[in-house]
Amino acid sequence: MCGIVGYIGKGRAQSVLTSGLARLEYRGYDSAGIVTFNGRATLLRAKGKVADLNKLVKSSATSDSVGIGHTRWATHGEPSVKNAHPHRAGRIYMVHNGIIENYKELKSRLKNHKFASETDSEVLAALIDSFYKDDLTEAVIKALQLVDGTYGIAVVATDNPEKIVVARNGSPLIIGVGKDETLVASDASALLGYTDRAIYLNDGEIAAITRDGIALRNLQNEPVDAEIEKIEADLAQIQKQGYAHFLLKEISEQPKTLAETLRGRVDVRNERVVLGGINMTPSQLRGIKHITIVGCGTAYYAGLLASYYIEQLVEDVTVNVVIASEFRYKSSYIPHDSVALIVSQSGETADTLACMREIQSRGVKCLGIINSVGSTIAREADGGVYIHAGPEISVASTKAFTSQTSAMLMFGIMLAQSRSINPRDVRPFIQELSILPSEIGKLIKNQSKAIAAIAKKYSSFDHAIYLGRGTAYPVALEGALKLKEISYVDANGYPAGELKHGPIALVDDRFFEVFVIPDDELLEKMVSNLQEVEARSGHIIAITNSSKKLAAETVIKVPTKLKVLTPILLNVVQQLFAYHIAVARGNDVDQPRNLAKSVTVE
Ligand code: AGP
């Protein structure tokens, strides 16, 4: 949720920290702060965004070359300056991402500290200060040994400002190893342009960073080897490149990013798919009779859509798709001839990570369907597929949905191949996957303008219903989420067959209804649902590739060569529709209120 940056080097810490925080702002943007050191501490904190912090930096510029910074997504205590990080306790300054579950009990022990905030993070800073004599690493270790909960922290002591101590448990922290400088960040994007060499801290590891180097330890204060890895992303990928918003960039680049997902994996000529990272032989794939797909939000909807495809591809496999935060408390039985697909763009979602660990504890193999290379879920999974969609900066997930669904579809094709199923059954999926990037490109090129005009027409509605059947049902759910999270319209998706069982009572002039209608065997049923709403003067928007005449107020017709994968294409219409409504409503499209890109707290 929160963004953390630290710096020690020859440059100006204030500019390195604020530009790094600006790159991480999508992770949380209630407040921001930095502290830099040069004989004295310069602490600057602002409610709101990094731009607000920058105004303070302008009037309190220093040439300090050491510092730490933070952008916050509030968990304990409302967004305010007093709750903004860095927090101070005695000689200690600290930034924190995560939740200290036992902060109340720890706070009761810290009688000598006068608390200035309502945060659990300040309690941790005070705890570290209570142990700090002259060895900061030791004080941090002693404090963390008492902590229950998740943390990614960076800590500096004013009487030893040439050392930054960092630690992680459940919240990502990466050390960027530069030339004569070292950075720390909660996400690799803050390191780009400084270095492509990184140490990904693991849970339970602590690092002391000085100008002379980096020393890793564990919670027992024993030395740990540091492994330097290459950062995959590059600077260009995290810049808007002329687009008005990251969201429009990420929607528009889907032909390219989906092609990256498929590259080297889909062999049209030989009608085969090869996924290197799943580490399973054909006989192991043949032995799979049950798949559990885990995710949150859009990742969950991608899993739901993939489940329809997988069950179409292999008749002897059942697929159970679960919302990560629910699964853990439902304790569903998972048969042993199973595999779990763990779907996460960020690879850091706390609910999804916890769910994977629970499933692994039952001896079931977990395969990550992940975008962020080196993320926690990717590192802890038993294998998986990187979707290679490039950094997704906008809080609303778009290109990841398309690539996640396609990656899981490829897994389904591999299951089918392992069963030496009649090749004709995989052929449409492979052929359509191979043209899906260009079909998306054609839609974006030919239909964006019309979709923008239609969105404007409907941008004043505050309520919406999204409807689909079969593979269009998860797409309807995703379309409703996209609109909801960036335009704040009360949009909800339903299986179209459920309309008569309640939702149709909602239809009145306050609502518009989006019908996602692929030209498939369910078309006629969708047409009768549409007529039921039309008979009640609904404001219907039909998104379809069918040439059938539909009794809708607005029809967005999408010509395509696709058949089975049409719903993935129709979802791109929904992405553009939601984007233009959010823009028309004047919202902060890339950083919608109350949200964060990666929900690293449960
Ligand atoms: C989607 O647009 C939302 N930002 C949110 O639902 C997101 O999909 C969810 O938090 C899961 O994130 P992840 O894919 O990084 O795990």
Side-chain angles (χ1 to χ4, degrees):
M1 309 296 279
C2 305
I4 288 178
V5 184
Y7 179 76
I8 183 165
K10 296 195 163 130
R12 267 194 71 236
Q14 283 184 330
S15 54
V16 176
L17 296 174
T18 50
S19 54
L21 291 178
R23 289 188 194 164
L24 299 182
E25 196 165 35
Y26 68 103
R27 297 173 61 91
Y29 30 87
D30 295 334
S31 59
I34 61 171
V35 62
T36 57
F37 304 86
N38 181 4
R40 62 184 180 71
T42 302
L43 174 65
L44 302 168
R45 298 185 297 177
K47 184 180 173 199
K49 299 197 165 183
V50 175
D52 302 300
L53 175 65
N54 280 335
K55 289 178 195 140
L56 296 181
V57 171
K58 267 212 180 65
S59 54
S60 317
T62 70
S63 56
D64 302 355
S65 60
V66 186
I68 55 178
H70 184 271
T71 57
R72 181 170 181 249
W73 185 82
T75 53
H76 297 71
E78 88 282 355
S80 64
V81 171
K82 74 174 168 63
N83 289 330
H85 302 213
H87 285 292
R88 178 182 179 185
R91 292 170 289 169
I92 298 297
Y93 282 88
M94 186 202 77
V95 292
H96 167 233
N97 179 18
I99 288 186
I100 309 299
E101 306 282 357
N102 62 334
Y103 80 99
K104 286 203 175 89
E105 176 234 315
L106 294 171
K107 189 169 182 174
S108 62
R109 308 165 42 136
L110 297 160
K111 299 292 182 211
N112 302 338
H113 181 73
K114 195 171 169 323
F115 284 91
S117 79
E118 305 143 338
T119 67
D120 55 332
S121 306
E122 187 186 356
V123 172
L124 179 52
L127 188 63
I128 295 169
D129 179 55
S130 71
F131 286 113
Y132 180 53
K133 305 280 177 286
D134 52 14
D135 183 332
L136 185 57
T137 309
E138 201 177 86
V140 169
I141 288 174
K142 282 184 178 162
L144 294 181
Q145 286 169 345
L146 300 175
V147 162
D148 291 337
T150 57
Y151 52 80
I153 58 171
V155 191
V156 180
T158 48
D159 60 354
N160 177 7
E162 288 291 297
K163 178 192 269 189
I164 302 175
V165 174
V166 297
R168 74 151 281 172
N169 184 48
S171 292
L173 260 192
I174 305 161
I175 301 171
V177 185
K179 194 176 168 335
D180 303 328
E181 60 187 7
T182 305
L183 293 91
V184 172
S186 47
D187 182 289
S189 54
L191 307 177
L192 299 177
Y194 294 99
T195 179
D196 64 356
R197 302 169 69 233
I199 297 168
Y200 289 84
L201 274 192
N202 296 309
D203 282 352
E205 289 181 348
I206 298 99
I209 301 166
T210 64
R211 293 181 198 277
D212 305 329
I214 301 158
L216 257 65
R217 294 194 165 284
N218 59 24
L219 278 174
Q220 289 67 49
N221 207 356
E222 298 151 345
V224 172
D225 289 342
E227 190 198 331
I228 294 186
E229 301 177 44
K230 191 167 175 337
I231 298 173
E232 300 274 329
D234 63 49
L235 208 45
Q237 288 176 311
I238 62 163
Q239 289 162 338
K240 284 184 200 162
Q241 295 169 336
Y243 286 96
H245 300 99
F246 280 110
L247 185 54
L248 186 57
K249 170 176 177 270
E250 288 154 12
I251 293 170
S252 307
E253 65 187 2
Q254 286 181 100
K256 187 165 62 61
T257 54
L258 179 57
E260 283 306 307
T261 307
L262 306 176
R263 190 181 308 285
R265 294 167 164 168
V266 177
D267 176 354
V268 186
R269 201 151 49 83
N270 300 312
E271 292 185 344
R272 293 196 63 71
V273 157
V274 180
L275 290 175
I278 59 169
N279 313 328
M280 294 180 84
T281 62
S283 65
Q284 286 171 323
L285 288 168
R286 242 188 327 276
I288 293 173
K289 297 288 180 260
H290 184 88
I291 299 174
T292 300
I293 302 181
V294 175
C296 300
T298 288
Y300 167 72
Y301 297 144
L304 198 54
L305 176 53
S307 71
Y308 283 81
Y309 288 134
I310 292 171
E311 289 187 344
Q312 288 173 18
L313 279 159
V314 278
E315 288 135 11
D316 63 338
V317 170
T318 58
V319 186
N320 181 28
V321 193
V322 295
I323 291 173
S325 56
E326 284 301 307
F327 175 82
R328 298 172 61 209
Y329 307 106
K330 197 162 170 276
S331 65
S332 323
Y333 167 66
I334 303 186
H336 273 272
D337 48 358
S338 286
V339 72
L341 302 184
I342 312 299
V343 193
S344 176
Q345 188 286 128
S346 64
E348 300 296 349
T349 299
D351 288 322
T352 309
L353 174 61
C355 199
M356 176 176 76
R357 289 173 174 167
E358 164 63 23
I359 295 174
Q360 285 175 317
S361 72
R362 304 188 196 178
V364 175
K365 190 184 186 76
C366 289
L367 301 176
I369 307 292
I370 309 291
N371 192 30
S372 304
V373 176
S375 57
T376 305
I377 294 176
R379 301 162 74 79
E380 294 193 12
D382 308 304
V385 182
Y386 277 128
I387 65 172
H388 297 312
E392 190 175 68
I393 306 295
S394 195
V395 165
S397 188
T398 50
K399 63 179 183 175
F401 176 87
T402 302
S403 289
Q404 285 162 347
T405 306
S406 303
M408 287 183 274
L409 170 53
M410 288 193 280
F411 181 72
I413 294 170
M414 284 199 70
L415 287 174
Q417 285 167 182
S418 73
R419 286 157 170 78
S420 61
I421 189 171
N422 178 325
R424 69 177 158 71
D425 295 333
V426 294
R427 185 173 299 151
F429 291 97
I430 290 182
Q431 285 176 344
E432 292 197 21
L433 260 183
S434 67
I435 64 167
L436 184 55
S438 58
E439 291 295 290
I440 292 174
K442 273 191 284 187
L443 184 155
I444 291 169
K445 181 168 169 288
N446 302 331
Q447 314 250 343
S448 290
K449 243 167 138 176
I451 294 167
I454 291 165
K456 223 169 156 54
K457 203 173 118 194
Y458 289 90
S459 58
S460 55
F461 282 80
D462 288 325
H463 303 278
I465 291 174
Y466 281 68
L467 298 158
R469 282 178 184 265
T471 48
Y473 163 48
V475 166
L477 294 175
E478 169 59 11
L481 174 63
K482 224 40 47 194
L483 184 66
K484 182 186 299 176
E485 67 177 324
I486 61 176
S487 69
Y488 317 148
V489 169
D490 169 26
N492 293 294
Y494 303 94
E498 277 295 286
L499 198 59
K500 299 179 292 302
H501 302 285
I504 199 163
L506 290 170
V507 174
D508 64 23
D509 266 344
R510 294 173 304 146
F511 281 74
F512 63 75
E513 297 79 22
V514 175
F515 279 74
V516 185
I517 310 180
D519 187 3
D520 61 16
E521 71 286 0
L522 297 170
L523 174 69
E524 289 313 323
K525 290 209 182 319
M526 285 301 287
V527 168
S528 38
N529 289 142
L530 190 148
Q531 284 159 348
E532 287 155 15
V533 174
E534 200 269 337
R536 291 159 177 82
S537 333
H539 297 284
I540 299 172
I541 302 168
I543 303 174
T544 182
N545 63 320
S546 166
S547 50
K548 189 179 183 63
K549 187 147 178 32
L550 301 170
E553 188 173 273
T554 301
V555 178
I556 301 175
K557 176 83 174 13
V558 182
T560 177
K561 296 180 205 145
L562 298 171
K563 287 241 170 302
V564 285
L565 302 190
T566 302
I568 302 176
L569 181 70
L570 300 184
N571 182 54
V572 177
V573 174
Q574 296 188 136
Q575 293 171 349
L576 289 167
F577 180 73
Y579 168 74
H580 288 294
I581 286 196
V583 169
R585 291 168 76 102
N587 289 0
D588 186 337
V589 172
D590 285 327
Q591 296 171 3
R593 68 185 182 198
N594 307 339
L595 288 176
K597 182 61 181 172
S598 174
V599 184
T600 55
V601 290
E602 291 175 19

